[in-house]
């Protein structure tokens, strides 16, 4: 019997976790980082390699297929409105949970000291603080200015998603405006490029079960202090519970708005979710999310080509939910006097903006958390301790919130597609239909 792809990936993950623990126990960390981890890195590189041509080709082709330019405006406005709506709901869920469970209330002084000693000056923590300062120095409209590229080759080279989306939309719209005969060769070119890149996704995914083995083993060898991990269990539970509720919320949206079965949706999108979990990066997962959404969920290219790359950059429901919980948790432990209602409202606003500004890469959410904390006047000298408090569990929580970020993008693309009449019966291609050829 042929095993479905998501099962192969799950098996790879489980074996990777077991292998990581064995290597941890037998002093094999170096072996994993020297000989196993590079295969995970190769996989992520390959996914990133195809992300840029994929966005460019699928968006230009998709937009140039539209009969009616006004649809672009409707699609854009709807996408942004739904993204903001789901993110606000995520933050409110997070704040409700953390204020009810109060995970930070009972933490002993001794534990706080221990965590402080261990992580306050950790490179991971100081690095996040430095990045946050760099981000903070930019002016208020910098994010808007950054959407408009001055050199598209630089944007492509640096994989600046929003700039590439802007350029692709611009090209697509102009292709609609020039005579059909003149537009045809370029449209055909991007159509063909799109097909090629989609096939590349299929081929790269053949390697996924092995790559996730490497990625998971590498994550496990990074865990060292299980005692601290256990102390943070309450906090981690709040984040995971919030994220699970968010997935439930998406499934309700799918059922209500698209009339599709939530289980079917989960089955189709699961390979992307599993990769989001293993890579902790919605940007690296993007090609697979696009492939799943277009070919397995039936969303038309012009919708997925816009909604998903925009979503990977600006829509991070999991990240904003986490930022709300983490900010309040840190306050409960070391700055309880800051826990006012007004501050929590400020957190809602800044966590929304911060999730838009967070890069779709591992632990970006933690950098933006610094900005959320600063916005409520959190004492600067306590910031390193605040980050140290949540640092030990950040990687596993990052993995979980990235799953929610990716699932949120896929959900919204289904809803927008449905509302524009662009949701069809999917025509899935076999992942391994070229297997014999590549063997
Ligand atoms: N790793 C997340 C993502 O790529 C961002 C974050 O929350 O750190 O979606």
């Amino acid at each position: 019997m042929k095993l479905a792809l998501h099962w192969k990936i799950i098996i790879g993950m489980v074996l990777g976790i077991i292998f990581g623990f064995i290597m941890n126990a037998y002093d094999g960390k170096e072996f994993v980082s020297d000989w196993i981890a590079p295969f995970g890195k190769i996989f992520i590189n390959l996914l990133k390699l195809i992300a840029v041509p994929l966005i460019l080709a699928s968006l230009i082709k998709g937009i140039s297929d539209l009969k009616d330019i006004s649809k672009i405006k409707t699609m854009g406005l709807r996408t942004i409105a739904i993204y903001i709506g789901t993110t606000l709901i995520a933050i409110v869920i997070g704040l409700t949970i953390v204020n009810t469970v109060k995970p930070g209330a009972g933490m002993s002084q001794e534990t706080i000291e221990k965590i402080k000693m261990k992580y306050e000056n950790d490179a991971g923590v100081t690095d996040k603080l430095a990045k946050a300062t760099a981000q903070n120095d930019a002016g208020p409209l910098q994010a808007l200015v950054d959407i408009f590229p001055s050199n598209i080759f630089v944007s492509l080279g640096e994989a600046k998603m929003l700039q590439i989306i802007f350029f692709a939309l611009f090209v697509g719209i102009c292709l609609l405006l020039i005579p059909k005969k003149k537009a045809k060769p370029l449209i055909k070119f991007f159509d063909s490029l799109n097909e090629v890149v989609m096939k590349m996704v299929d081929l790269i995914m053949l390697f996924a079960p092995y790559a996730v083995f490497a990625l998971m083993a590498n994550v496990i060898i990074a865990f060292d202090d299980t005692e601290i991990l256990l102390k943070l269990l309450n906090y981690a539970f709040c984040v995971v519970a919030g994220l699970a509720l968010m997935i439930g919320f998406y499934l309700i949206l799918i059922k209500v708005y698209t009339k599709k079965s939530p289980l079917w949706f989960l089955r189709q999108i699961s390979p992307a979710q599993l990769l989001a979990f293993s890579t902790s990066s919605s940007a690296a997962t993007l090609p697979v999310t696009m492939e799943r959404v277009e070919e397995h969920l039936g969303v038309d290219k012009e919708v997925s080509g816009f909604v998903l790359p925009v979503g990977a950059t600006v829509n991070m429901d999991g990240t904003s939910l986490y930022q709300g919980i983490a900010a309040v948790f840190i306050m409960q432990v070391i700055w309880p006097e800051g826990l006012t209602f007004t501050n929590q409202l400020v957190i809602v606003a800044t966590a929304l903006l911060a999730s838009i500004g967070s890069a779709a890469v591992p632990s970006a959410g933690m950098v933006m958390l610094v900005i959320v904390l600063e916005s409520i006047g959190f004492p600067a000298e306590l910031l390193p301790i605040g980050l140290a408090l949540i640092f030990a569990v950040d990687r596993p929580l990052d993995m979980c919130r990235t799953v929610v970020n990716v699932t949120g993008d896929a959900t919204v693309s289904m809803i927008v597609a449905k509302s524009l009449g662009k949701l069809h019966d999917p025509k899935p291609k076999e992942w391994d239909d070229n297997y014999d050829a590549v063997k």
Side-chain angles (χ1 to χ4, degrees), residues 385-403:
I385 311 173
L387 290 199
L389 274 176
I390 55 166
F391 189 71
V393 278
D394 202 61
R395 178 68 196 208
L397 295 184
D398 190 1
M399 295 159 82
C400 299
R401 64 191 190 239
T402 309
V403 173

Side-chain angles (χ1 to χ4, degrees), residues 13 216 219 223 236-247 250 272-282 316-322 362-363 393-408:
M13 284 166 71
M216 294 312 292
V219 166
F223 288 148
F237 164 78
C238 288
V239 178
V240 173
L243 295 175
L245 281 180
M246 213 44 214
I247 298 268
Y250 295 142
Q273 292 175 317
L274 292 169
L275 283 198
F277 186 78
S278 317
T279 61
S280 276
S281 164
S282 8
M316 298 198 177
D317 298 346
T319 301
S320 43
L321 182 144
Y322 144 85
S363 80
V393 278
D394 202 61
R395 178 68 196 208
L397 295 184
D398 190 1
M399 295 159 82
C400 299
R401 64 191 190 239
T402 309
V403 173
V404 171
N405 291 346
V406 166
T407 313

